[in-house]
Amino acid sequence: MAKADTPDSAGSDTAPAQADEWRLRYKVGGLVHYTEWTADFPTVENYYEQYRRGDCAHDVAIERREVLG
């Protein structure tokens, strides 16, 4: 319990480094679609620009996966 009360007790400095993961969320009609999680942010960003400018998809957003420890 003491660890939970102490902010940053584990610390990100001692935790193993994990790559951030990203995916694209978009709607086509009334359905929500997602791409797979990937650590390759430039690819997700490229898809975002393509979908945002396209006619079919709307509500396009990039999501970041959070790792809770």
Side-chain angles (χ1 to χ4, degrees), residues 9-16:
S9 61
S12 58
D13 296 333
T14 59

Side-chain angles (χ1 to χ4, degrees), residues 31-42:
L31 297 175
V32 179
H33 299 272
Y34 300 91
T35 60
E36 291 187 33
W37 290 108
T38 181
D40 186 13
F41 182 77

Side-chain angles (χ1 to χ4, degrees), residues 8 11-12 17 21 26 33-34 38 40 47-48 51-53 55 57 67-68:
D8 203 28
S12 58
E21 291 187 331
Y26 58 97
H33 299 272
Y34 300 91
T38 181
D40 186 13
Y47 283 139
Y48 172 79
Y51 284 45
R52 186 179 63 84
R53 294 179 183 169
D55 295 332
V67 178
L68 302 176

Side-chain angles (χ1 to χ4, degrees), residues 41 56 60:
F41 182 77
C56 297
V60 181

